[in-house]
Amino acid sequence: MSQSNSDDSSAANDAQAVGVGQDDVQKNIVWHTHTVSREDRETKLGQRGVVVWFTGLSGCGKSTIANELDRLLIDRGATCTLLDGDNVRHGLCAPPSVLQEEHGEEFAGRFGLGFGPIDREENIRRIGAVTELFASAGVITLAAFVSPYQRDRDRVRKTIESSGRSGDFLEVFVDTPLEICKQRDPKGLYQKAIAGEIKNFTGISDPYDVPPSPEIHLKWREGQTPHDQAWEIIRAMENRGVLGPAKG
């Protein structure tokens, strides 16, 4: 009987120890300093690693402008990359339905992301972490996401600037009126949202926090092209000293 109690006690202690290790893994995670610094990478590339974060309603033109800016930057010799909201939802931030077949229901339910408030928060957290990695490597990183909640965008800003310097995060508010976005409706999403077929749709059944002080405010104007707007961003980046002259 005594031996049994002792074994039970030992097993309980072992289980508790395992639990502590699982619940507090942060104590076992230690930052590994790289031999090659961010400054080394930026010097090699001849540019500053920054994040240009496009936010705005669905259909406002974020992806189109970001694609045009990407092309203009590449043409002038910059090293850059583009992360788009829809594209990322096919992999890193895939919904449960995409993950279930390969990983199973439990995995899909735990890691798949929908469009409710908490899922949107995690979506932007993941993207923020990825953009920080790119920026730390000296890459000009363009991110086009509705990112409707100001607190989430502020968290990404804090992540980017904490690992780099103030000014490494440029918030671009693509300020296109909701009525114009509804008229465009390139994917037919507004029509579905208004009909109640899509829940948590920003601007219809879910709120959008207008940026109070974006670094770049692209106000919609009749006749203005995505090319014009992309050049407006380049000029703003040059004026802020985060983009040097064209190479070559």
Side-chain angles (χ1 to χ4, degrees):
M1 180 69 71
S2 175
Q3 179 64 42
S4 177
N5 286 341
S6 176
D7 290 344
D8 289 346
S9 175
S10 177
N13 289 336
D14 289 345
Q16 185 177 12
V18 172
V20 169
Q22 291 175 340
D23 294 339
D24 197 14
V25 294
Q26 184 176 355
K27 292 181 179 179
N28 301 321
I29 300 174
V30 180
W31 184 264
H32 184 80
T33 302
H34 294 176
T35 302
V36 180
S37 70
R38 176 173 183 160
E39 290 71 23
D40 293 333
R41 299 179 193 281
E42 291 181 326
T43 299
K44 183 69 173 178
L45 292 172
Q47 64 181 40
R48 176 173 167 179
V50 297
V51 173
V52 182
W53 190 279
F54 292 79
T55 179
L57 297 172
S58 177
C60 70
K62 298 182 299 299
S63 294
T64 305
I65 299 168
N67 270 281
E68 185 65 24
L69 177 60
D70 195 25
R71 171 50 56 194
L72 292 176
L73 289 171
I74 289 291
D75 287 347
R76 63 188 280 142
T79 299
C80 55
T81 193
L82 170 59
L83 302 175
D84 180 80
D86 278 354
N87 292 357
V88 168
R89 286 282 187 169
H90 282 78
L92 178 66
C93 300
S97 58
V98 172
L99 299 178
Q100 186 168 343
E101 182 176 352
E102 182 172 354
H103 298 281
E105 185 175 353
E106 182 180 357
F107 183 98
R110 181 175 179 184
F111 298 110
L113 299 180
F115 290 89
I118 293 178
D119 290 55
R120 285 181 181 274
E121 180 178 340
E122 173 60 9
N123 180 56
I124 298 305
R125 187 197 69 81
R126 292 183 192 181
I127 300 308
V130 172
T131 59
E132 189 275 329
L133 291 173
F134 276 117
S136 294
V139 177
I140 298 173
T141 309
L142 314 181
F145 296 84
V146 174
S147 45
Y149 309 136
Q150 185 65 46
R151 68 175 184 273
D152 294 337
R153 301 193 298 265
D154 287 343
R155 286 170 179 158
V156 176
R157 178 188 296 275
K158 182 178 179 181
T159 296
I160 300 303
E161 296 189 342
S162 294
S163 69
R165 73 220 91 176
S166 177
D168 282 351
F169 182 88
L170 301 177
E171 186 176 43
V172 179
F173 176 31
V174 184
D175 188 3
T176 304
L178 176 59
E179 290 307 313
I180 299 296
C181 295
K182 287 181 181 178
Q183 291 172 21
R184 291 175 175 175
D185 202 10
K187 304 168 189 174
L189 299 180
Y190 280 101
Q191 185 176 359
K192 292 181 180 179
I194 293 171
E197 298 175 20
I198 300 179
K199 296 180 180 179
N200 306 115
F201 191 81
T202 303
I204 301 299
S205 54
D206 211 51
Y208 177 78
D209 297 337
V210 173
S213 53
E215 280 75 15
I216 303 171
H217 190 169
L218 297 180
K219 296 183 179 180
W220 180 83
R221 293 194 294 273
E222 185 72 44
Q224 190 177 44
T225 68
H227 183 81
D228 296 333
Q229 293 171 303
W231 266 110
E232 188 174 335
I233 296 171
I234 283 183
R235 287 191 290 269
M237 292 175 71
E238 290 174 333
N239 292 337
R240 288 178 171 273
V242 300
L243 181 65
K247 299 176 184 179

